[in-house]
Amino acid sequence: MSTKTGAGRKPRPWTTRIVADPAGPPATARDLVRHEVVLSADTWVVKVGSSVLAGRDGRLDLDRIDHLAAQLCQVTDTGRRVALVSSGAVAAGVGRLGLKGRPDNLRQLQAAAAIGQSHLMRCYDEGMRRRGRNAAQLLLTHEDFDGRARYLNMRNTLNALFEFGAVPIINENDTISVDEIKFGDNDRLAAMVANLLQAPLLVILSVVDGLYLSDPARPGPAEVVSCVPRIDDEVLSLACGGVKSAMGTGGMQSKLASARLVTQAGGSVVIASGTRPDPLSRILAGEEVGTLFLAHGNNHTARKRWIGLTARPRGRLVVDAGAREALETGRNSLLAIGVVEVVGEFEKGDVVAVCDAEGKEFARGLSNYGADDARAVQGRHTLEARVLLGSSLYDEIVHRDNLVLIA
């Protein structure tokens, strides 16, 4: 393990290791930091990509799915709660239909997903039942996370499944979701599930050994970042030109964005190869597998994770520099006098983005006003707002208890 530095450069805040043989098993070494992270994580969310589950011909690798089921059961046998976010429905459908590759039009993608999802779940269910566990299917869309009532129902269902000792198998509902297939991926879904459950650990299994410091396609040994204490711009720059499979929809940029969503909410993330032997078992043992991204944000409540990191904003409130400074103390609410522009249409109680004058979003919150009323009082003192709209309205556009800083 080493810390990379260059002449005249400050040390980078991460450690690296050499992966000498990308085709072979990783070196086994116990890491005390990893051991502590894993030991304290009572809930895991595991995400597995299509490229891990399917071969080049598009057909599911049944042995690999059974092996993954065995590892998931091994983790649950320790008393931990485990949810799996699994891609692979389209890939399974491609194999079942005998197609040469992933379709490039939405209609056929949705048909492949519909055919493949039942096959994928049957494989997981058979693997789980052989180990005395039940697999449970949940097909979700972004709308399930946007509405507070549906969000809470989803969490209650997951908790009930854990009580029964089942392993939830979660996937996007690709048969009806348009933009999920065209633009989305399951990396973000896994991060949202991790925040929903307040899971201390998210494991993303892909075809890469982690975050590479250099291009793994070049001749010679590949260098992998071992531990990242904080995802900053320099870390994000390493994702450029990353590996992306033919069957999957996400690359390293997507994985880092999802990892940042979890780490800033107080969870840790491991990105590792799902094609290596026993990745979950090695992570459970505290071995140096993949890249570990350490939690660095506040451990938000489930409600604040929903407000700031899950629900999609319905509109934007642009505020002046004084309002931003006041909000970033964490002790102030957003008043009408600090709002310089109201963008979009939203209702009272909707999640809105809070942006500075340059358009950079730095917070999200629940609006006490609909868009029209917010426009009517923007830039005005509280007493003026009361005269305009009546004293029954809130003094705050967004109360500090319903505000989450995300910058």
Side-chain angles (χ1 to χ4, degrees):
M1 185 181 298
S2 64
T3 300
K4 301 296 294 181
T5 62
R9 294 178 57 185
K10 64 180 180 180
R12 286 171 172 165
W14 59 68
T15 56
T16 65
R17 69 182 185 280
I18 299 295
V19 181
D21 180 12
T28 58
R30 176 162 300 207
D31 180 85
L32 294 180
V33 174
R34 289 169 180 261
H35 183 71
E36 182 178 351
V37 168
V38 172
L39 191 66
S40 62
D42 58 351
T43 302
W44 289 27
V45 174
V46 179
K47 184 265 178 180
V48 61
S50 300
S51 50
V52 175
L53 300 177
R56 294 180 179 179
D57 60 357
R59 297 179 182 276
L60 292 180
D61 186 331
L62 302 183
D63 290 336
R64 182 165 291 165
I65 292 178
D66 184 70
H67 186 58
L68 176 60
Q71 291 179 83
L72 291 168
C73 290
Q74 180 184 354
V75 177
T76 58
D77 287 344
T78 66
R80 291 172 170 84
R81 310 188 310 170
V82 182
L84 176 67
V85 176
S86 177
S87 301
V90 173
V94 167
R96 300 291 280 182
L97 291 169
L99 304 178
K100 294 182 179 180
R102 183 184 176 93
D104 57 6
N105 70 79
L106 180 62
R107 184 172 59 88
Q108 291 183 346
L109 276 172
Q110 290 178 323
I115 292 171
Q117 184 63 37
S118 59
H119 179 50
L120 179 65
M121 277 304 303
R122 188 183 72 182
C123 294
Y124 277 126
D125 187 55
E126 290 176 351
M128 296 290 178
R129 283 192 288 110
R130 275 196 288 271
R131 281 93 184 177
R133 298 278 177 180
N134 289 309
Q137 176 179 258
L138 283 83
L139 298 178
L140 306 174
T141 69
H142 272 298
E143 292 180 349
D144 295 313
F145 291 88
D146 288 342
R148 183 67 177 162
R150 291 167 71 171
Y151 186 80
L152 293 175
N153 287 338
M154 179 168 43
R155 187 175 66 186
N156 290 337
T157 298
L158 286 167
N159 286 331
L161 290 171
F162 291 141
E163 291 171 4
F164 284 125
V167 178
I169 311 294
I170 302 166
N171 198 358
E172 287 183 315
N173 195 345
D174 289 338
T175 61
I176 62 171
S177 299
V178 176
D179 53 358
E180 276 78 7
I181 288 181
K182 293 181 67 176
F183 307 110
D185 55 72
N186 273 352
D187 296 325
R188 180 171 177 81
L189 174 60
M192 294 165 74
V193 171
N195 282 338
L196 167 75
L197 294 171
Q198 294 181 277
L201 183 63
L202 167 63
V203 178
I204 299 178
L205 298 179
S206 184
V207 293
V208 297
D209 285 297
L211 178 63
Y212 293 106
L213 189 64
S214 55
D215 187 352
R218 293 177 181 175
E223 193 169 12
V224 171
V225 179
S226 179
C227 182
V228 176
R230 188 181 186 94
I231 301 175
D232 55 17
D233 290 341
E234 190 172 6
V235 172
L236 293 173
S237 70
L238 297 178
C240 297
V243 178
K244 180 178 174 181
S245 72
M247 293 304 297
T249 59
M252 185 54 69
Q253 289 178 316
S254 166
K255 290 170 178 54
L256 289 184
S258 300
R260 185 161 63 172
L261 199 65
V262 172
T263 56
Q264 69 184 9
S268 296
V269 179
V270 174
I271 298 177
S273 172
T275 61
R276 299 276 195 177
D278 305 319
L280 296 183
S281 302
R282 291 170 183 256
I283 292 171
L284 184 62
E287 294 181 14
E288 195 175 20
V289 177
T291 300
L292 170 64
F293 300 85
L294 295 174
H296 62 79
N298 295 324
N299 191 1
H300 291 307
T301 63
R303 181 172 177 275
K304 286 211 166 184
R305 292 189 189 208
W306 174 74
I307 294 172
L309 303 171
T310 302
R312 292 177 292 183
R314 300 292 186 181
R316 288 187 293 129
L317 300 174
V318 181
V319 303
D320 59 28
R324 173 167 185 169
E325 183 178 355
L327 293 176
E328 287 182 331
T329 66
R331 299 186 299 273
N332 293 282
S333 300
L334 176 60
L335 304 179
I337 194 170
V339 178
V340 298
E341 185 182 5
V342 178
V343 181
E345 299 299 327
F346 52 89
E347 302 294 331
K348 175 183 175 181
D350 282 345
V351 175
V352 293
V354 183
C355 307
D356 61 21
E358 285 71 43
K360 181 178 181 181
E361 181 184 7
F362 67 93
R364 289 182 184 176
L366 298 181
S367 177
N368 288 330
Y369 286 63
D372 290 340
D373 287 342
R375 290 189 183 96
V377 300
Q378 71 181 52
R380 296 182 181 272
H381 289 281
T382 301
L383 291 178
E384 293 180 277
R386 289 178 182 174
V387 171
L388 280 171
L389 300 178
S391 60
S392 61
L393 288 181
Y394 293 90
D395 288 342
E396 310 88 0
I397 299 289
V398 178
H399 193 276
R400 65 176 178 269
D401 292 343
N402 296 325
L403 185 79
V404 179
L405 298 174
I406 64 172

